[in-house]
Amino acid sequence: MSTTQNAELCYLKLCDNPRTFKPTAPTTNVFFDNTNGQIFSVELGDETKISVKGKTDEDSFEFKIKDKGIVKSIKFSPNNHVLALQRSRNSIEFITMINQMPNSVEIVQHSKGKNNKIYGFEWVNNKEIVFITEQSVEIYDIDVKNMYVKLIKSLSINSHWFVYDYKTKLLLLSTGGNYNNILQPLQLQNCGEINKLSRFEIELFTASSPMSIVATSPVVSPTKLLVLEEDVVLTYVYHLPRILIIRHQQRGSSSTQVIVYTVYKYKTVKRTHTLELADKIDGKFALNIVDNLILVHHKTSKTTMIFDINLSNDSSNGIISYKLPLMEPKPIRPIEGYETYSSNWVMFEPDIIIDVNKGLLFTIELDISIIMQQFRNNRILFEFLILRNIEREHVLSLLRRVFIEEANEYVEMIQLIETINFYYEQYLNYQVQINTGKSVKLISLSEYNTVQDSNELSFVKYNYTQRIIVDQTTLYNTVFIQLNEQKDKHTLLVCLLMEYVKSLLDHNISEIEYFIYELLIKTLIFQKQYYQLHQILQYYIVHDSKQIACLLLPLEKLYPPAYQLALDMLNRLRASDEINHILLYKPNNVITTLRTNTKSDSAVRSLSRKLLQLASHTSDSTSSIEPRQRIDSAASSIADSRNRNMDTGKNRTIDIPRNRSDVLLSERDRVVFYSVFMFYSQYCKQYNFNLMRDQKCLKYIELFENLFQPK
Amino acid sequence: MTVKTEISLDSFFIFNPNLGLKEGEEEKKILYYYPKSTDLKTKVRNIGLSEAIFNFTRTFNPDQPCEVLNTLKIRQIYYNPEPNIYLVLVLKVPFCRTVDGDVEYQSDHIQTEIYLSVLKQMYRECILFTSPFSCLSHNQLVMQLDTFYEKYLPTLRIQNCDIMDLFQGIHFLPLDKSTFLHIHSCINLMQAVFPFIKYSMFLCHEQLVWSGLDMEDTQLVFRYLVANILYPLLDSETIQSKEGSALPRISSSTNNYGRFLTGATNLDSNLELETPPIVHLHHHTGLDEKYYFVIYNALSITVCLFIPVETTILSLDTYKRLDVFLSPKLTSLASEVSSYTSNSNISSLDNSSNGPKFIYFNQLNLAMKSSIHNNYRKSNNNISIDPNVMRILMDIKSANKYEEFYIVIQHKNANLIEINGKSITEVIGKYSNSREFYIVIQHKNANLIEINDEVKKICDSQLENIFFCQ
């Protein structure tokens, strides 16, 4: 296999422009301070020459200090004003800096017990520094102006080693226990306050996971440390501080694991995940975090495994979820003439790899397009992508791939829709909570499945904007519209739209956009599936709106019931103006219109105006007669027919007028009659004229009531 | 002691007047005749009578053939769906024999329109299985008619026909959005996994939830399925359970609730596979497509699958795969539906016998609903109102076909008067926007205002979501 072929499958690569620094040499030591991102190359000689390489070239400078022996550790305060360095086993020196040059004044601070071995020190902030000694944790306050160092807090605690993370300000101490397996996390706060988190024990045996069978109990030597400093990483993964511990293969246990402990509310630490490295491998491991993915480098085989603790694959026992590598382990993409995974590599959190021998600082990057080729399950790939800090286009291309380009199984598509909406719901809930100022509960699908006590996660609050949201508009534009353009995919489109609506409702998203419904209706119409459309509307799947009603109305020509559906919808929306308009547009509908409008005065008034307008436009051959006269004749004819009915009604139980034409007026008569009456009664009201005094009018009222308000 | 009879089926026959034209060969005209035991002479005579009436009446109105013949003791209903094909339904007019031995025929008890509609439906359901009569050879036709009506006529129940048979509508199961969508999603998935299924239909509790067919075919399949397959099945199960020998619905080997009602009715047997019935769809559009009609039932749910005959061969394995797919999904959907219906029933249905009753029918989607009927099965004592009132309802319906109307009819119910002297039944018919709504109110001390309120209440509760002019 040639290297180029290999390279195509490598989903990890080193950054193109590594930072360079003076590499190690017999007289030069290199230090990296992760807090400030500075690399120190310390060259011993007559004087100690220190080159500092910051994040950019402008941040880089050099200076010299007096030689006082080998430098064990060196770190600037965050504002670069004070340089702290350790050259003896029990004291730290401070040098103030002016314009990136050391001041002549130096102070030496011994540990509290004078003789206590100092393991190391960390800057908490510009004024405070913590010493970690074999017997205590000490916090000192540094007054730069007066060059004065004062102990402000001291906590007696025996430890073997420590790990510190500047972002969380968590300090993890190995404090012993029977098998040296107890760890004590501390959180350093400002002004020397120390928050003591509950300590925890690392299980002696790697607990049986569903994927590995534990045989006999291993023999643990009480003198040997169960976990070494180099096997522990303290960092944020998915917005929570996590403690990652590499558990090497032991006698009896099947393979190496990485155990993930999660720090909740800076109070408790719980074992939450176990990363199962490939079977039966051991050797040197190192960890990096890239975009919330945990990378486990296996130096022996020169490959790297990727884990995502938030993906909902793999198994879980309810408390701990067991994770397998996302993809087959692959090496980092090789670079011509450069040895990857060399013994000179040192990894720092989150994503830094330093080659001390070549003087190079790399960050490690993901190649998303290659990862997209490697996943077999598109649903998990979607979840993976949506959790990454990547271009939106990658997700969109996945959607196009699944729904449009490839002939995927329908089952796979609906699973993907389900996953899309799971995250969409999470996002919307987050938005609501942001807006109402409530505490935010955001979890991933896997956490949702594993953590029963969701209160534990309720405090999590983080910036959601980096995540990619696949909302209704996105899916509409990338998938549905595209499918709509391919005529052979219309059946699929209807199924997907229905499935999408179903899934949205299942996720309590009831505000479904108009355009989704519109496309659903239009596609059904195009397919001539009118009865299916009718059924869907009948079960109120489509949310009522005037737009939808307007979409249905013209359909009447092709499918007559559409008219009824549209009117029903408008009725539910209480859109009486629109209903009147639609009704009057059709011939012989005045009575219906009148009967629907008897509820309120204002409706009657607006209708009477409309009717008058209509009357003046209606052409009728008999219209030459003066209105009043026509009304009179109409009125008398109505009265006659009604009287006739009443007489016969006495004799027969059932009386139904079989021929209606002699009972009711012509359409135009009704229009004229009604409008004039409405106008007249309004006129009377306006001028306080007593309507009842006019005998003729009284007759009209009677008639009117008989005709139009039979109740 | 007075004796009363019910409406009953005298005979039913189909004939072609163009056959057997020679003297003495008249029996060749007969395509189907019920009851079979009738002697040939009577058969020929009756057919001859019908033919004569047709020919006679045509003189007066050539465009509209005669539909009904009224005599004292019988009523004949005619239907001429295809050229030279005549269907005749002969009903016995019920009578009442008083103590004195006087016989009074109650011809107004037969409401012709209902039976016209029944007869039409009899024809349409038949051609669903046979294709139009004129497309078949004489022998084929005689055979197919025989097989079809043999099974069909016993389920007809002429004496229980009422306004619902006039509508020949579809009962839709009321469901909430999300349950409907879950059902719909299951059907889509099924059609994606088994792409040979061209159409499908989903029923629950003998009511329709979803149909992929168009309205005309849906109506035919629905009516046939419910009356001729599902209700008889339910009846046989109740009888079995009463006898204590109910067949377990759970098949022992697979522990599931599902089974095929047509096709592979026994998945465990190695016998030769039954071919499912074949239906001819899309008649009304002029097409004639043949589909296997496979019915699968699990608990309260029935799913119909329509599989093109030409392109698919159904093997036992196919049935088994369908069974594995459908059984768990339908079982869970059945419980979802029942949890919805039980929730909504408590709140909405007031089943008191005195409350107002209604019948609703929508011409445009054929949806039909009734609170007069205890269930939609035809049986005696199924309607909760007096049969006379039921007939009045029908009269209202037939009197008003075209426009909105509003009619209150006070019917003094003889039986009720005897009990409390003042009870009155009000029947109200409303028609708007292609929908019909009938209300029956039985009221003591009937007061018009109270009744009006009652009507308003029931209209508001039943019709609030639609545009219906009250």
Side-chain angles (χ1 to χ4, degrees), chain B residues 92-104:
Chain B
K92 285 183 187 151
V93 176
F95 61 83
C96 204
R97 186 176 281 132
T98 57
V99 195
D100 320 326
D102 294 342
V103 175
E104 191 188 330

Side-chain angles (χ1 to χ4, degrees), chain A residues 481-497:
Chain A
I481 276 287
Q482 310 299 328
L483 283 175
N484 188 40
E485 279 165 15
Q486 305 178 23
K487 282 184 183 167
D488 57 323
K489 298 253 173 113
H490 277 184
T491 316
L492 174 67
L493 175 61
V494 170
C495 292
L496 289 179
L497 282 168

Side-chain angles (χ1 to χ4, degrees), chain A residues 410 495 498-499 502 505-506 531-532 534-535 538-541 564 568 571-572 592 595-596 656 711, chain B residues 172-173 177 180-182 185 192 210-213 362 365 399-400 404 433 435 465-467 469-470:
Chain A
Y410 178 67
C495 292
M498 288 295 284
E499 194 64 36
K502 175 207 143 206
L505 290 175
D506 282 348
Y531 197 50
Q532 284 63 45
H534 200 137
Q535 293 174 59
Q538 193 173 305
Y539 282 101
Y540 306 131
I541 303 308
Q564 191 189 53
D568 290 348
N571 184 51
R572 289 193 291 272
T592 316
R595 283 202 348 222
T596 51
I656 303 135
K711 290 179 219 172
Chain B
F172 283 95
L173 185 74
K177 257 191 212 186
F180 175 80
L181 283 169
H182 287 162
S185 147
W210 169 257
S211 164
L213 299 172
N362 183 356
N365 68 347
N400 290 273
E404 304 107 17
N433 200 6
R435 291 180 167 112
N465 284 325
I466 57 173
F467 177 73
C469 290
Q470 300 174 22

Side-chain angles (χ1 to χ4, degrees), chain A residues 56-70:
Chain A
T56 59
D57 282 345
E58 290 92 75
D59 294 336
S60 306
F61 52 97
E62 285 184 7
F63 57 90
K64 286 174 184 170
I65 54 170
K66 283 177 202 157
D67 177 35
K68 282 186 186 170
I70 293 165

Side-chain angles (χ1 to χ4, degrees), chain A residues 240-253:
Chain A
L240 283 178
R242 320 264 185 177
I243 299 162
L244 279 53
I245 296 173
I246 302 170
R247 289 295 311 272
H248 288 277
Q249 187 176 23
Q250 296 159 329
R251 232 185 310 162
S253 76

Side-chain angles (χ1 to χ4, degrees), chain A residues 410-411 414 494-496 498-499 501-502 505-506 510 517 529 531-536 538-543 559-565 567-569 571-572 574 579 583 588-589 591-593 595-596 599 653-658 660 664 670 710-711, chain B residues 170 172-178 180-182 184-185 188-189 192-193 208-215 218 362 364-367 392 395-396 398-400 403-407 409-411 430-435 452 456 463-470:
Chain A
Y410 178 67
V411 183
I414 61 177
V494 170
C495 292
L496 289 179
M498 288 295 284
E499 194 64 36
V501 172
K502 175 207 143 206
L505 290 175
D506 282 348
S510 54
Y517 292 133
Q529 293 185 308
Y531 197 50
Q532 284 63 45
L533 170 64
H534 200 137
Q535 293 174 59
I536 286 165
Q538 193 173 305
Y539 282 101
Y540 306 131
I541 303 308
V542 174
H543 201 265
Y559 183 66
Y563 176 74
Q564 191 189 53
L565 289 167
L567 275 185
D568 290 348
M569 195 172 276
N571 184 51
R572 289 193 291 272
R574 308 261 175 275
I579 291 179
L583 288 177
N588 295 319
N589 242 342
I591 295 262
T592 316
T593 322
R595 283 202 348 222
T596 51
K599 277 162 197 158
T653 354
I654 311 160
D655 183 83
I656 303 135
R658 295 203 179 242
R660 300 178 65 102
L664 296 172
R670 277 181 236 147
K711 290 179 219 172
Chain B
I170 297 167
F172 283 95
L173 185 74
L175 276 181
D176 64 328
K177 257 191 212 186
S178 88
F180 175 80
L181 283 169
H182 287 162
H184 197 268
S185 147
N188 282 343
L189 186 61
V193 176
L208 188 66
V209 176
W210 169 257
S211 164
L213 299 172
D214 53 30
M215 191 165 76
T218 304
N362 183 356
L364 294 182
N365 68 347
L366 300 178
I392 290 174
D395 285 338
I396 298 181
S398 47
N400 290 273
E403 275 191 73
E404 304 107 17
F405 63 89
Y406 181 96
I407 289 164
I409 291 167
Q410 299 195 349
H411 169 75
K430 286 163 171 253
Y431 186 101
S432 161
N433 200 6
S434 306
R435 291 180 167 112
N452 210 6
K456 215 175 143 36
L463 307 174
E464 63 170 331
N465 284 325
I466 57 173
F467 177 73
F468 194 97
C469 290
Q470 300 174 22

Side-chain angles (χ1 to χ4, degrees), chain A residues 536-693:
Chain A
I536 286 165
L537 290 165
Q538 193 173 305
Y539 282 101
Y540 306 131
I541 303 308
V542 174
H543 201 265
D544 291 342
S545 71
K546 286 183 187 172
Q547 288 127 301
I548 297 284
C550 293
L551 201 64
L552 291 173
L553 269 176
L555 189 61
E556 193 196 351
K557 284 189 197 108
L558 292 168
Y559 183 66
Y563 176 74
Q564 191 189 53
L565 289 167
L567 275 185
D568 290 348
M569 195 172 276
L570 289 172
N571 184 51
R572 289 193 291 272
L573 294 165
R574 308 261 175 275
S576 53
D577 263 9
E578 282 82 355
I579 291 179
N580 286 343
H581 193 82
I582 293 163
L583 288 177
L584 291 175
Y585 184 76
K586 286 205 160 193
N588 295 319
N589 242 342
V590 174
I591 295 262
T592 316
T593 322
L594 298 179
R595 283 202 348 222
T596 51
N597 281 282
T598 49
K599 277 162 197 158
S600 80
D601 264 4
S602 63
V604 170
R605 220 169 295 135
S606 85
L607 181 67
S608 72
R609 222 166 292 132
K610 230 177 211 164
L611 281 172
L612 261 188
Q613 237 170 30
L614 194 73
S616 68
H617 287 110
T618 312
S619 63
D620 190 334
S621 54
T622 59
S623 63
S624 55
I625 313 167
E626 187 237 338
R628 179 98 189 196
Q629 216 180 325
R630 279 173 58 78
I631 290 164
D632 285 349
S633 72
S636 60
S637 90
I638 291 171
D640 287 352
S641 65
R642 287 196 79 83
N643 286 338
R644 212 167 50 230
N645 277 343
M646 284 189 189
D647 293 340
T648 50
K650 279 172 198 162
N651 303 331
R652 289 179 56 180
T653 354
I654 311 160
D655 183 83
I656 303 135
R658 295 203 179 242
N659 185 357
R660 300 178 65 102
S661 59
D662 62 330
V663 183
L664 296 172
L665 305 162
S666 78
E667 191 67 19
R668 192 188 143 86
D669 282 334
R670 277 181 236 147
V671 174
V672 173
F673 172 79
Y674 188 76
S675 5
V676 171
F677 175 77
M678 296 307 267
F679 237 69
Y680 193 40
S681 71
Q682 260 189 53
Y683 171 87
C684 295
K685 253 186 208 162
Q686 214 168 340
Y687 295 101
N688 220 356
F689 179 76
N690 191 346
L691 203 63
M692 296 300 160
R693 244 180 252 159

